[in-house]
Amino acid sequence: MTENSQQPQSAPTSELPTQYAPAEVEGKLYERWVERGYFAADAKSDKPAYTIVIPPPNVTGSLHLGHAFQHTLMDALTRRKRMQGYESLWLPGMDHAGIATQNVVERELGKEGKSRHDLGRDAFVERVWQWKEEYGGKILGQMRRLGDGVDWSRERFTMDEGLSQAVQTIFKKLYDDELIYRAERIINWCPRCLTAISDIEVEYQDDDGELVSMKYGEGDDTIVVATTRAETMLGDTAVAVHPDDERYRHLVGRRIKLPLTDRTIPVVADTHVDPEFGTGAVKVTPAHDPNDFAIGQRHDLESLTVMDERGVITVHGPFQGLDRFEARSAIVAALRAEGRIVAEKRPYVHSVGHCSRCKTTLEPRLSMQWWVKVGPLAEAAGDAVRDGRVSIHPADMSKRYFDWVDNMHDWCISRQLWWGHRIPVWYGPEGEVVCVGPDEEPPGTEAEGWKQDPDVLDTWFSSGLWPFSTLGWPERTPDLEKFYSTDVLLTGHDIIFFWVARMMMFGLYAMDGEVPFKTIALTGLVRDQFGKKMSKSSGTAVDPLDWMNAYGSDAVRFTLARGANPGTDVPIGEDWVQASRNFANKIWNATRFALMNGATVEGPLPDPSEMTATDRWILSRLNKTVAEVDAFYDDFQFAKLSDTLYHFAWDEVFDWYVELSKTTFMAGGEPAKVSGRVLGEVLDVTLRLLHPIVPFVTETLWTTLTGGESVVIAEWPTDSGFRDAAAEREIETLQQVITEVRRFRADQGLQPGQRVPARLTLDGTALAPHEAAIRQLLRLQPEGEAFAATATLPVAGATVALDLSGTIDVAAERKRLAKDLAAAEKEKAQANAKLGNEAFLAKAPDQVVDKIRTRLAKADEDIARIQAQLERLPEA
């Protein structure tokens, strides 16, 4: 049998209150856990390590359901491993969130009528630090409310001193290895945030735009091009056609007039052009389009920037000073006036990139930026999964991972912000470029003509170091030795590209090929109960604290875990949280009943020969449940393990075992003592199995039941291997009898508590020892002298004869059932008529036909059920 994790200090120490009140216990319990150091990990421990680093939430953030969802699962993993004897570290922290945080503080300054430029860089950064101390990290307090078992002594921040040193170290290393370089390339530019952003931070959406076709050149040199961004034509430096396109062969190499300007531009031949698309000719604007930039590189074309950082036109008199969208309309109007517009299509729906932070339409822009050469890093990140050093759950998510790492472009890591890790590069008066490591001094002062690069690093650059920088790298610290590689990265499938791939690249690079985590467990996203995205504007966004306050943290956690199928989105509604609250109450009430009826963990388990079949059945089912839960944990099947525990606890322990044992407890004596010890064992193990998901209610109940110090540090249950197939078959038969008779009683309209005289014929069956339990559960009185069997139910080899005279009006019941039978037969006839009509079947949609077939099947079921009820009724 499964053994208790701790010797009980005493018998149950106090009587439980009649009702469970989460608000009265959760906060106190959490602080007690922290004070006692249960979540603190020891790098000097001889125990095997188990490590999870938290995906660092933004310092600007607050706890939303997505956080609560993932935190519940990570907490469950680390709590279970702690109970299994691992030195379990769940490391917390926050991300400085460069663009988001700078935007927040700039908005605050705006309320004062100021901008960051009014303060200057140093004063602005100091203002952001002040904001961080005052408002940042709100989410950390909410994590405590949820019950996150993190090691608070190891809390980190992506801009703390240690992580800043790690950032500077790896930048220097990459720079020296020629994996970081500076170059002028087309980047995604946000005219609102005034910074470059990486490809993965672009949100694409379908916008209503316009497609304008216009004539370039004159006479025989005329050529038609089309664009959705007419304003960029001011920066055109060529028209490109395919080399094999006969229509334009005579123009290749010639120069044609660019409308609205005094310039001429060449016609070039390039294989990038699709001759089948549109007119087969494209305008080339190297400074404002990535594909055009590549064409420009191949043909040595000039790159003309025609907009400033705010998207304002900077060239050509009539349009200079106009916003890009104003210029678009003005340029189309000017071209139309010159008769150069061939066609206009409005609206023209096309995919447009937007800033993921402020939703502004992005502008491709030629800019000098810092880049990571990702080729060798991405190859290593792909190999680590392909050769099995890192596994991805669910496995079908691997394709998304490979699609990204196998086709990754060089990563633009510089941001034109003030809040973030400053790029550690200095430029000298004679054009010198010097990268400075964390222990090195700058090469010179500003007075000597030296200036540090003004840009900061992409937020994902520092968070990409998270699995090892948080453990003390670049120092070879005891924490790094003990807890790296981390075991599991549990995160949403939506940030495979943002974060997962970055950590893989940097971890393998910095740690000499040692992977940053052994398993990537990908979750879905939390949706509303109808499967739609939650949003404030639609009124479907939920503050998990509201639900925790109303129903308790355990209820929220259990609801989220029960919906957590790997990689699949999680629908959630308030009624589901209410159901989980009811489950917590059920655990509470059942344990309270058990304690009042002799449940105990004192002493060893009795020998199976001393137990009833009911005792042996529940212990057999208990060990099977332990095995199932372990297997589901190892496969990250949180929904299945939660469902298994729910049905085992509610159905088998509380609804069946406790009820079947009541007669034993009432009879007293040695059998009651044996069952009391079995019930104590079952509750002890069940509470330990439930603890990682619902930690608060299980802590209160387990410590009361066992007298142990805390279930947080109790041993995780193990499958002893005990099985009793005969007892399982016997109790399954018993359940079948009770279920069938209950169904019959309900069909006859009997109230659940209404007692009915009955004769039980159980001789020769395994049910004979259970007669008292059967009568108790089915409210069956002993037969009296006037007993008359008016209904006889043969079930599973046994016979239950019931005397229903005086309990129901047989004539009225027959009349009611006859009416129901007539209605079911009419429904069947109507469904058969439609399904037999060939003309109807030829025209009706498939879903309509399927619905009628379902109605027919339901009618058949109803007819069979009602006829059986009529046969069982006595004659009127």
Side-chain angles (χ1 to χ4, degrees):
M1 302 300 159
T2 53
E3 297 295 333
N4 285 312
S5 62
Q6 303 168 351
Q7 288 298 318
Q9 298 171 351
S10 63
T13 54
S14 63
E15 185 175 314
L16 293 168
T18 55
Q19 291 185 325
Y20 177 51
E24 295 178 11
V25 300
E26 291 180 347
K28 295 175 184 177
L29 283 182
Y30 187 83
E31 293 309 316
R32 184 189 308 161
W33 292 335
V34 174
E35 289 168 6
R36 293 181 177 180
Y38 293 155
F39 306 140
D42 183 1
K44 298 178 181 178
S45 168
D46 292 332
K47 297 178 182 178
Y50 183 83
T51 314
I52 292 179
V53 292
I54 202 167
N58 287 354
V59 70
T60 58
S62 60
L63 191 75
H64 56 64
L65 274 176
H67 289 125
F69 171 53
Q70 292 181 357
H71 287 205
T72 293
L73 306 187
M74 285 184 277
D75 195 32
L77 291 173
T78 49
R79 284 179 182 268
R80 172 176 175 255
K81 285 296 182 179
R82 188 178 292 114
M83 295 172 75
Q84 287 181 317
Y86 286 79
E87 197 62 35
S88 189
L89 170 61
W90 185 18
L91 192 147
M94 293 180 295
D95 192 284
H96 67 278
I99 296 176
T101 306
Q102 179 157 321
N103 282 346
V104 168
V105 178
E106 286 197 75
R107 281 198 297 270
E108 293 297 313
L109 283 175
K111 295 175 184 177
E112 302 171 15
K114 298 178 182 178
S115 73
R116 59 180 164 127
H117 300 284
D118 294 324
L119 271 66
R121 184 173 193 135
D122 291 344
F124 176 77
V125 170
E126 178 59 31
R127 180 72 175 260
V128 181
W129 276 108
Q130 291 173 7
W131 181 91
K132 186 260 181 187
E133 293 304 316
E134 186 173 356
Y135 299 105
K138 177 182 177 183
I139 196 170
L140 298 179
Q142 296 167 331
M143 286 165 56
R144 303 172 87 93
R145 181 76 175 81
L146 185 64
D148 285 6
V150 297
D151 185 347
W152 291 109
S153 69
R154 286 179 165 84
E155 181 189 336
R156 303 306 300 268
F157 180 53
T158 48
M159 281 185 63
D160 67 29
E161 185 177 352
L163 268 67
S164 295
Q165 182 183 30
V167 168
Q168 198 169 350
T169 299
I170 201 162
F171 188 99
K172 170 73 170 172
K173 181 174 169 59
L174 289 162
Y175 183 87
D176 291 345
D177 288 345
E178 298 183 350
L179 292 173
I180 280 183
Y181 64 94
R182 190 168 184 248
E184 195 173 43
R185 300 275 180 84
I186 293 287
I187 46 89
N188 305 297
W189 181 264
C190 178
R192 158 62 183 79
C193 297
L194 299 180
T195 183
I197 65 172
S198 63
D199 291 344
I200 54 177
E201 293 172 299
V202 179
E203 289 184 353
Y204 287 95
Q205 67 183 48
D206 288 340
D207 287 358
D208 286 345
E210 60 181 351
L211 181 67
V212 179
S213 298
M214 49 197 179
K215 292 188 295 185
Y216 283 13
E218 304 287 352
D220 292 340
D221 291 346
T222 297
I223 193 167
V224 176
V225 297
T227 183
T228 58
R229 299 163 66 220
E231 68 279 8
T232 64
M233 61 86 59
L234 299 176
D236 286 358
T237 56
V239 170
V241 298
H242 194 276
D244 299 332
D245 195 331
E246 294 290 341
R247 294 172 294 175
Y248 304 118
R249 181 163 291 178
H250 68 289
L251 288 176
V252 173
R254 297 177 64 175
R255 300 185 72 87
I256 61 174
K257 184 177 184 341
L258 179 65
L260 306 183
T261 72
D262 56 2
R263 293 191 292 119
T264 61
I265 56 176
V267 178
V268 299
D270 195 281
T271 54
H272 170 76
V273 180
D274 180 1
E276 303 299 323
F277 183 77
T279 64
V282 297
K283 58 190 286 298
V284 181
T285 320
H288 292 277
D289 183 274
N291 293 323
D292 292 3
F293 178 78
I295 294 174
Q297 292 288 98
R298 288 193 289 271
H299 297 277
D300 197 25
L301 299 175
E302 185 180 6
S303 295
L304 297 179
T305 299
V306 298
M307 287 179 230
D308 67 11
E309 60 184 8
R310 298 182 184 276
V312 175
I313 302 299
T314 58
V315 299
H316 202 69
F319 312 110
Q320 192 169 358
L322 294 180
D323 173 80
R324 53 186 169 153
F325 300 119
E326 295 172 335
R328 182 176 300 173
S329 299
I331 287 170
V332 171
L335 290 169
R336 190 183 299 113
E338 289 191 4
R340 290 189 173 275
I341 297 298
V342 176
E344 297 178 71
K345 184 176 181 181
R346 294 189 189 90
Y348 178 73
V349 179
H350 60 134
S351 182
V352 178
H354 294 258
C355 176
S356 62
R357 299 295 182 187
C358 69
K359 314 308 177 187
T360 298
T361 300
L362 295 173
E363 192 65 42
R365 188 168 190 259
L366 185 62
S367 181
M368 183 68 75
Q369 301 285 345
W370 286 93
W371 304 80
V372 172
K373 187 184 296 183
V374 299
L377 303 174
E379 182 180 3
D383 290 345
V385 175
R386 287 189 171 94
D387 63 25
R389 282 176 290 156
V390 177
S391 62
I392 294 179
H393 285 264
D396 59 8
M397 285 284 179
S398 298
K399 182 180 184 302
R400 294 185 65 184
Y401 175 81
F402 290 130
D403 284 347
W404 179 251
V405 298
D406 292 347
N407 300 285
M408 195 182 296
H409 301 295
D410 283 1
W411 173 19
C412 177
I413 56 172
S414 46
R415 298 291 180 268
Q416 289 64 55
L417 304 171
W418 287 355
W419 172 245
H421 294 280
R422 189 87 172 262
I423 289 177
V425 172
W426 271 256
Y427 305 108
E430 303 300 325
E432 303 96 329
V433 179
V434 178
C435 180
V436 177
D439 300 321
E440 299 171 351
E441 292 294 327
T445 66
E446 285 197 18
E448 297 169 334
W450 288 87
K451 290 187 178 180
Q452 186 177 358
D453 193 298
D455 290 351
V456 300
L457 288 163
D458 180 9
T459 295
W460 298 103
F461 189 94
S462 52
S463 61
L465 315 181
W466 191 250
F468 53 94
S469 63
T470 51
L471 297 172
W473 187 92
E475 301 298 322
R476 201 75 194 184
T477 63
D479 276 1
L480 195 64
E481 294 285 354
K482 178 73 174 179
F483 297 112
Y484 190 89
S485 299
T486 69
D487 288 86
V488 177
L489 171 70
L490 189 144
T491 190
H493 62 66
D494 56 324
I495 60 171
I496 291 178
F497 319 128
F498 289 91
W499 193 45
V500 178
R502 310 299 192 207
M503 287 189 290
M504 284 287 282
M505 293 192 303
F506 281 166
L508 291 162
Y509 173 75
M511 297 299 293
D512 300 321
E514 196 173 357
V515 296
F517 25 74
K518 303 176 185 75
T519 301
I520 302 168
L522 297 170
T523 70
L525 307 179
V526 177
R527 304 288 188 181
D528 69 15
Q529 60 187 317
F530 305 108
K532 296 180 180 179
K533 183 178 180 180
M534 289 186 173
S535 69
K536 292 181 180 178
S537 60
S538 63
T540 57
V542 174
D543 183 344
L545 290 176
D546 291 342
W547 282 354
M548 284 189 269
N549 291 333
Y551 308 110
S553 298
D554 284 334
V556 175
R557 290 170 61 112
F558 192 74
T559 304
L560 291 165
R562 204 173 178 192
N565 291 298
T568 303
D569 288 351
V570 183
I572 184 172
E574 188 168 2
D575 54 339
W576 303 339
V577 186
Q578 292 173 350
S580 295
R581 186 268 316 273
N582 295 343
F583 179 52
N585 289 341
K586 181 76 171 182
I587 300 169
W588 182 272
N589 293 332
T591 304
R592 186 171 178 273
F593 169 85
L595 288 171
M596 291 190 297
N597 285 273
T600 180
V601 297
E602 292 185 347
L605 274 173
D607 189 82
S609 62
E610 303 175 34
M611 299 178 186
T612 65
T614 308
D615 295 333
R616 297 193 304 276
W617 163 73
I618 197 62
L619 288 174
S620 182
R621 289 294 307 128
L622 176 68
N623 279 285
K624 282 185 177 180
T625 300
V626 171
E628 289 172 9
V629 168
D630 275 332
F632 287 141
Y633 260 116
D634 292 341
D635 198 34
F636 304 97
Q637 297 280 357
F638 295 98
K640 290 181 178 179
L641 73 89
S642 298
D643 214 46
T644 296
L645 286 170
Y646 176 90
H647 288 294
F648 175 72
W650 192 308
D651 300 343
E652 299 188 87
V653 179
F654 304 145
D655 278 358
W656 282 109
Y657 180 71
V658 170
E659 292 299 318
L660 289 171
S661 300
K662 281 183 178 178
T663 53
T664 304
F665 288 130
M666 287 189 290
E670 193 59 31
K673 292 181 180 178
V674 170
S675 291
R677 179 64 188 88
V678 170
L679 179 54
E681 178 76 7
V682 171
L683 287 174
D684 169 27
V685 173
T686 302
L687 291 171
R688 283 187 275 150
L689 288 173
L690 282 166
H691 173 72
I693 304 292
V694 285
F696 294 107
V697 67
T698 52
E699 171 79 343
T700 306
L701 295 175
W702 188 86
T703 52
T704 302
L705 171 70
T706 69
E709 179 183 343
S710 173
V711 70
V712 176
I713 54 172
E715 286 184 13
W716 181 253
T718 56
D719 175 12
S720 70
F722 175 80
R723 302 288 190 275
D724 192 324
E728 290 198 40
R729 287 193 298 271
E730 183 174 327
I731 301 305
E732 285 170 7
T733 302
L734 175 60
Q735 291 172 327
Q736 183 181 352
V737 170
I738 292 171
T739 300
E740 284 296 317
V741 176
R742 278 177 173 168
R743 184 179 295 118
F744 176 75
R745 286 176 57 107
D747 288 344
Q748 305 310 313
L750 296 174
Q751 296 300 314
Q754 189 172 354
R755 294 195 168 274
V756 178
R759 176 185 299 145
L760 305 184
T761 306
L762 307 175
D763 296 342
T765 73
L767 300 176
H770 301 287
E771 180 169 353
I774 293 172
R775 287 188 177 277
Q776 172 71 20
L777 291 175
L778 291 174
R779 304 294 190 269
L780 302 180
Q781 297 176 181
E783 55 186 292
E785 292 183 4
F787 178 83
T790 58
T792 302
L793 307 176
V795 185
T799 303
V800 180
L802 303 174
D803 183 354
L804 301 180
S805 59
T807 61
I808 60 172
D809 184 334
V810 176
E813 185 63 15
R814 281 190 172 278
K815 185 177 180 180
R816 181 184 71 80
L817 290 173
K819 183 178 179 181
D820 290 347
L821 181 62
E825 288 173 338
K826 181 179 179 181
E827 175 74 4
K828 179 178 179 178
Q830 289 175 340
N832 275 327
K834 287 187 176 181
L835 293 174
N837 185 333
E838 294 296 333
F840 170 78
L841 292 177
K843 295 179 181 179
D846 290 344
Q847 61 267 30
V848 172
V849 176
D850 289 342
K851 189 173 182 179
I852 294 171
R853 290 194 176 111
T854 300
R855 284 169 49 195
L856 176 60
K858 176 67 166 53
D860 282 334
E861 289 176 7
D862 289 344
I863 290 168
R865 175 178 55 79
I866 296 167
Q867 287 175 339
Q869 290 177 244
L870 285 167
E871 289 173 4
R872 289 170 176 169
L873 278 176
E875 293 299 324

